[in-house]
């Protein structure tokens, strides 16, 4: 998979999405793109970043060097996120963290858009969803989301201890918002973590992302 999986069509699609709606976005790997341009693919180095977490503490990717890291883009109002947060996402977070994985949930919704939270609201969201992520990170400018080419919620990344992206894209092979489709789904994040733990190459390094478009600042007023 090359860096060409990021193209400008997704940016145009994002600009056309109303704030009150959560339109499904399924993006093919040869057409997908973060609004800012090319994004790193599996096998490439993960970009460095620093964000403030829900408690007001700065967290940098470099802080977790030597450990496997999962990045999860989320938006509480997205029905695709709601599907996974009926318990499946929380269970996967707990499994991963118990195995020593650092799980960073990122909210890239900009102010005034669906899913945007800060401060107490962010902490309340974390409590309400009973999530087990290591940290909840806030990205209201969308800078980090664009850096990684995140186009949907959920959108996932798995980074190995050397800082190399080993998985990029959709969480599983059931691109729907139906809870019943979790049963029997092939969860690519779990599979990637299993491969890394076993010292194997990740068998599925890319999966087509699906869900609601990330609510970047350029969506405001559209």
């Amino acid at each position: 998979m090359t860096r060409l999986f990021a193209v400008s069509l997704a940016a145009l699609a994002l600009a056309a999405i109303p704030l009150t709606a959560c339109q499904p976005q399924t993006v093919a790997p040869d057409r997908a793109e973060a609004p800012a341009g090319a994004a790193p693919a599996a096998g490439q180095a993960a970009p460095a970043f620093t964000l403030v977490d829900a408690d007001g503490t700065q967290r940098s990717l470099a802080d977790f060097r030597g450990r496997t890291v999962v990045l999860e883009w989320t938006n509480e109002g997205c029905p695709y996120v709601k599907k996974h947060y009926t318990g499946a996402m929380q269970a996967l977070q707990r499994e991963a963290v118990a195995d020593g994985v650092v799980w960073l949930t990122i909210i890239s919704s900009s102010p005034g858009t669906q899913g945007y939270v800060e401060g107490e609201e962010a902490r309340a969201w974390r409590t309400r969803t009973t999530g087990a992520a290591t940290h909840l990170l806030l990205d209201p400018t969308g800078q980090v989301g664009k850096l990684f080419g995140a186009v949907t919620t959920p959108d996932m990344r798995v980074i190995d201890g050397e800082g190399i992206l080993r998985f990029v894209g959709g969480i599983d092979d059931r691109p729907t918002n139906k809870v019943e489709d979790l049963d029997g789904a092939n969860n690519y994040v779990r599979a990637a973590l299993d491969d890394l733990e076993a010292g194997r190459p990740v068998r599925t390094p890319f999966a087509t992302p699906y869900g609601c478009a990330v609510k970047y600042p350029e969506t405001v007023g559209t």
Side-chain angles (χ1 to χ4, degrees), residues 18-20 109-118 121 140 215-217 219-222:
L19 294 181
T20 57
S109 295
S110 61
T113 68
Q114 184 188 68
Y116 172 75
V117 291
E118 62 178 352
E121 282 185 298
K215 303 302 185 284
Y216 289 116
T219 68
V220 175
T222 59

Side-chain angles (χ1 to χ4, degrees), residues 50-67:
T50 299
L51 288 174
V52 174
D53 69 15
D55 298 308
T57 302
Q58 286 194 335
R59 307 289 181 182
S60 298
L61 183 60
D63 296 340
F64 310 111
R65 187 76 171 185
R67 300 175 65 184

Side-chain angles (χ1 to χ4, degrees), residues 3 11 44 48 60 102 127 144 164 172 174 198:
R3 295 168 67 93
Q44 297 178 329
S60 298
V102 175
T127 300
V144 173
I164 303 300
D172 62 25
R174 302 288 179 87

Side-chain angles (χ1 to χ4, degrees), residues 72-74 80-81 84 89 152-156 169-171 209-211:
E72 170 212 352
W73 271 267
T74 195
Y80 294 85
V81 170
H84 288 281
M89 187 71 81
T152 64
T153 52
D155 202 344
M156 311 296 296
I171 190 169
Y210 72 89

